[in-house]
Amino acid sequence: MIEHREYYADGRFRPASGTARLPLASPTDGRSLGVVVACSAADVDLAIASAQRALPAWSASSLDERRQALQRLRLELEARAPGIIQSLAIEIGCPVWLGRLMQLPMPLKGLELATAGLDRIQWRETIGNGVVERVPAGVVAAITPWNFPLHQMVAKIAAAIGAGCTLVLKPSEVAPGAARQLFDALDACGLPPGVVNLVWGGPDVGEQLVSHPHVRHISFTGSTTVGRRIMATAAEGLKPVTLELGGKSAAVVLDDADLDTAIPAVVRMSMANSGQACVSQSRLIVPARLAPQVVERFAAALEAWPLGDPLVEATRLGPVATAAQHRRVIEMIERAGVEGAELLLGGAQPPAGLEHGCYVRPTLFGKVRPEMEIARHEVFGPVVALLAYDTEGEAAELANATTYGLSGAVWSADAHRATAFARGLNTGQVVINGAAQNLATPFGGWGDSGFGRENGRFGIEDLLRYRALHGAV
Ligand code: NAD
């Protein structure tokens, strides 16, 4: 049984003194894995005070000190790779294959890009008699979800270290293993005490962080509902927020696209991590006349995605992360049927032999209309809505018929045509013809997907403020 009871403040681990015990259950079979002992309000205050004390010295640190800290963290994390991948499989059901392919490489790359980003920022600029400086925002509260937990935590920590801010992190109570190992790595880095701090807890601890007067910026990744609430609370203290929220991204297949390349790629971008990715391509928009061929290829591509125990090497699809998430996904599948969508693949029945875990069969719905729940709301599971169009104009309308705006994809034999189409999508990023997602570019959403940007220099700049000095020398 795992018991996470040590939070991290002032450069050392300490026992949390809260009364709440947050239970951890295996998504594979529901057995208890242990508990997270929540921090008390006094523990959270201590962590924020520690960040506040460390701020003057860290905000005056040299770029070299920050660069070295980021480089050391990268090495320390890499050394902990096997343990982190194992705990992601056990706690959130992420297949070890995906842990090695994405969950770990993304934060390692993120640390490299933050390091490189330090030299790409204009820290000081002279304009006539004015000197414009970019200064750290202050103490940052970082609140993160469970789906790519290491990447999400590291994105915020790397940005804070790079910007000269200090930080208190509240990771998801669902995936504490990665957070603990990340703080073991940070502890080994020898950062000055108080630069990074960790508190355990659920929404109440998150709310305490957001409303604390010493916190000057909130960086949140999670659901749109919680993001809205955080922004409302932050407004009381007039605190800037970075919100990386949900999505309902569309993959648009234009009529000249090579379906043999496009459809397996869309399957990957909708099924990886069992669809629990904010950028998951959960809507597939195709020419009506090609729909039967698309469905055929979708089914064929799914054969390469066996469901099973996340600790087994060959598994590509694990369970969804929690019983609550499982219930939510199954209910959305059932409601899609009631609303009139046609179940083409998968469905709400548990997969054979995997009846006791949080497993969901990869599911594809046809005859989806844009007003249906399955076309509008994030499922956060391995479920795709197929929407058909007759003209390219209709395809763009369907793609933009969402309040979200995080990501998207376009496929065409003509890269110029695909690029022109991509420019018409109301979303923070678009992947053209399956291009690799470039982590050096700014990541973030429009509309209900939030605002603010992460990754590399953009993540650091998000945590900087301008100061203009008139007549400075
Ligand atoms: P969630 O919003 O339920 O929780 C996220 C974090 O917020 C957790 O640490 C939780 O304890 C905390 N929290 C909950 N209520 C709070 C409150 N009132 N005040 C302060 N903190 C609070 O999200 P989740 O279920 O952990 O993650 C799934 C969601 O995250 C999905 O909607 C997904 O799209 C989104 N997500 C977005 C991105 C992105 O970069 N845009 C990336 C990953 C996940």
Side-chain angles (χ1 to χ4, degrees):
M1 294 286 266
I2 315 165
E3 189 180 82
H4 290 284
R5 64 154 53 235
E6 291 187 305
Y7 72 111
Y8 190 82
D10 227 356
R12 67 179 177 87
F13 289 100
R14 306 153 178 270
S17 61
T19 49
R21 301 273 183 282
L22 311 170
L24 290 171
S26 162
T28 315
D29 56 15
R31 75 184 188 286
S32 168
L33 294 174
V35 290
V36 175
V37 179
C39 283
S40 65
D43 298 337
V44 176
D45 279 344
L46 194 147
I48 296 172
S50 138
Q52 176 81 351
R53 267 195 308 280
L55 185 63
W58 189 248
S59 60
S61 60
S62 68
L63 291 191
D64 238 17
E65 282 172 272
R66 299 179 199 176
R67 189 176 295 114
Q68 279 166 24
L70 292 167
Q71 286 166 341
R72 279 199 305 273
L73 179 56
R74 194 189 179 289
L75 292 174
E76 292 294 340
L77 261 189
E78 207 169 11
R80 289 165 176 77
I84 293 172
I85 289 167
Q86 185 88 356
S87 63
L88 294 176
I90 293 169
E91 290 176 357
I92 60 164
C94 175
V96 286
W97 158 80
L98 192 67
R100 269 199 305 277
L101 190 73
M102 287 182 80
Q103 296 269 11
L104 205 85
M106 281 169 70
L108 295 180
K109 187 72 188 168
L111 284 163
E112 260 174 46
L113 291 169
T115 311
L118 287 173
D119 297 320
R120 303 177 62 115
I121 293 169
Q122 193 162 15
W123 295 92
R124 188 186 151 99
E125 184 184 356
T126 302
I127 306 174
N129 77 337
V131 172
V132 180
E133 295 175 350
R134 302 192 87 175
V135 295
V139 174
V140 176
I143 302 177
T144 54
W146 44 261
N147 58 326
F148 282 86
L150 191 67
H151 168 64
Q152 289 141 354
M153 294 183 288
V154 168
K156 296 181 189 324
I157 288 175
I161 290 176
C165 292
T166 59
L167 168 141
V168 182
L169 169 76
K170 192 207 82 63
S172 167
E173 58 276 34
V174 174
R180 170 66 204 220
Q181 290 169 87
L182 169 59
F183 271 76
D184 284 338
L186 282 160
D187 188 55
C189 283
L191 277 161
V195 172
V196 288
N197 305 272
L198 165 74
V199 293
W200 297 119
D204 50 336
V205 169
E207 296 211 348
Q208 192 188 341
L209 283 179
V210 173
S211 56
H212 197 287
H214 288 162
V215 167
R216 294 317 309 159
H217 187 108
I218 292 118
S219 181
F220 171 75
T221 300
S223 61
T224 298
T225 310
V226 174
R228 266 201 190 93
R229 188 180 162 93
I230 285 178
M231 190 169 169
T233 308
E236 291 295 314
L238 292 173
K239 300 175 192 180
V241 288
T242 302
L243 298 176
E244 299 288 358
L245 309 177
K248 191 72 195 174
S249 300
V252 181
V253 174
L254 298 181
D255 58 8
D256 60 349
D258 172 15
L259 298 185
D260 291 326
T261 314
I263 303 307
V266 175
V267 167
R268 189 168 61 246
M269 289 304 294
S270 56
M271 294 296 149
N273 214 29
S274 295
Q276 300 163 116
C278 50
V279 294
S280 184
Q281 292 171 8
S282 55
R283 293 181 300 148
L284 175 53
I285 299 177
V286 303
R289 68 180 172 79
L290 296 180
Q293 287 147 268
V294 166
V295 175
E296 210 175 278
R297 281 169 176 78
F298 203 100
L302 278 179
E303 281 168 28
W305 289 83
L307 266 165
D309 184 338
L311 288 165
V312 170
E313 275 301 323
T315 296
R316 293 294 173 267
L317 277 173
V320 295
T322 63
Q325 186 62 19
H326 185 248
R327 220 170 15 254
R328 183 185 131 87
V329 174
I330 296 298
E331 285 172 8
M332 285 186 84
I333 293 175
E334 288 170 348
R335 284 199 298 271
V338 172
E339 272 198 274
E342 181 187 11
L343 183 63
L344 298 170
L345 299 168
Q349 293 306 314
L354 296 168
E355 291 84 358
H356 300 299
C358 299
Y359 290 93
V360 179
R361 292 200 286 163
T363 296
L364 179 67
F365 279 107
K367 295 202 170 57
V368 176
R369 292 188 311 274
E371 65 276 15
M372 289 179 178
E373 181 190 53
I374 202 73
R376 290 190 300 125
H377 290 287
E378 185 178 47
V379 180
F380 229 50
V383 182
V384 175
L386 186 68
L387 294 114
Y389 69 86
D390 290 318
T391 64
E392 205 174 299
E394 260 180 70
E397 249 174 62
L398 284 173
N400 287 332
T402 168
T403 54
Y404 291 109
L406 189 57
S407 185
V410 188
W411 292 87
S412 166
D414 176 351
H416 292 287
R417 185 181 172 204
T419 306
F421 188 91
R423 292 207 168 95
L425 297 182
N426 299 330
T427 182
Q429 44 263 306
V430 185
V431 176
I432 294 163
N433 284 333
Q437 193 151 336
N438 181 347
L439 290 179
T441 61
F443 179 81
W446 295 5
D448 283 1
S449 295
F451 46 77
R453 289 297 180 263
E454 292 199 303
N455 288 353
R457 83 170 157 93
F458 302 98
I460 298 172
E461 285 174 343
D462 220 50
L463 300 182
L464 296 174
R465 306 285 174 260
Y466 287 111
R467 176 193 285 134
L469 299 172
H470 307 274
V473 287

